[in-house]
Amino acid sequence: PGTAHDPTFDAAHHEAPAPSLGYRQASAPPPPGASNDLPPGYLTPEEKARERKKQRRRRRLGMVVLALILLVAALATIANQRKKNAPKSLADVEEGECYLGDDLNDLEIVDCRAEHHGELFKILPAADPDGPFPDDAAMQLQRDTCTVELTAFFGAGADVALRAGFELFPITPSEAQWEDGHTDTYCVVGKADGSAYKGSLKNAGAGAG
């Protein structure tokens, strides 16, 4: 007996293929301009060129930033060195520091264990730094206060320090310095003959009579 005709089977062979899910057959040429089926992360030549330009810009920007950092560091080093080498005045000396030099506008701050000409043991603020330049009586009061402070610092009176060869030098501001805002009085002790010596005089007179 002959085989019966199956219209369903025949229709299946003539149906249109199922719609594609985005993957083409290996043998099928890619449609012009299509990029839907490119692998993840794939870059076209144009995209690669743009990415290379971005990377070059980043590198150039990084080099510029680094150069600016180095320039700022170099300028800061130069400024610090100039400041360090600039002449020091008595106003740059702090309490407890010693200095070398006899010109109060050109001093070298040194360790008190090294040779020095003076030791700043007390800075006395003015009673009224915003007021007019003090008269002689007010200035003498500041010098007398330095004498009192020397006794506390040296451990003995100014007369004992003088017998040991040391003298008190109260440095009061001039009128020009006062007008410039330098109103402090500096209590300095050093050799009476102006020579250099070593060692701090703090408590050096204790027990002396």
Side-chain angles (χ1 to χ4, degrees), residues 46-119:
E46 293 80 7
E47 291 171 332
K48 290 181 179 179
R50 286 196 296 269
E51 186 63 26
R52 285 194 293 269
K53 286 182 180 179
K54 288 181 182 178
Q55 291 176 355
R56 286 196 293 268
R57 284 197 295 268
R58 291 193 195 102
R59 286 195 294 269
R60 286 196 294 267
L61 180 60
M63 293 176 64
V64 170
V65 171
L66 179 61
L68 288 175
I69 292 174
L70 293 175
L71 177 61
V72 170
L75 291 175
T77 300
I78 293 172
N80 288 335
Q81 191 64 33
R82 286 180 176 175
K83 183 178 179 180
K84 182 179 179 181
N85 294 334
K88 301 292 190 300
S89 71
L90 186 61
D92 297 309
V93 185
E94 297 181 359
E95 282 188 11
E97 289 185 333
C98 296
Y99 62 83
L100 184 66
D102 52 10
D103 183 350
L104 296 182
N105 292 312
D106 187 9
L107 303 174
E108 179 184 356
I109 300 173
V110 297
D111 191 301
C112 290
R113 292 171 296 184
E115 282 200 343
H116 56 276
H117 289 98
E119 183 173 2

Side-chain angles (χ1 to χ4, degrees), residues 16-32:
S20 170
L21 297 177
Y23 295 93
R24 63 174 181 271
Q25 297 178 0
S27 60

Side-chain angles (χ1 to χ4, degrees), residues 95-98 112 116 119-122 149-156 161 166 189-190 197-207:
E95 282 188 11
E97 289 185 333
C98 296
C112 290
H116 56 276
E119 183 173 2
L120 176 59
F121 63 90
K122 191 66 178 180
E149 292 291 341
L150 175 64
T151 301
F153 172 76
F154 183 63
F166 296 96
V189 66
Y197 66 99
K198 293 182 179 181
S200 172
L201 294 183
K202 184 176 179 61
N203 296 322

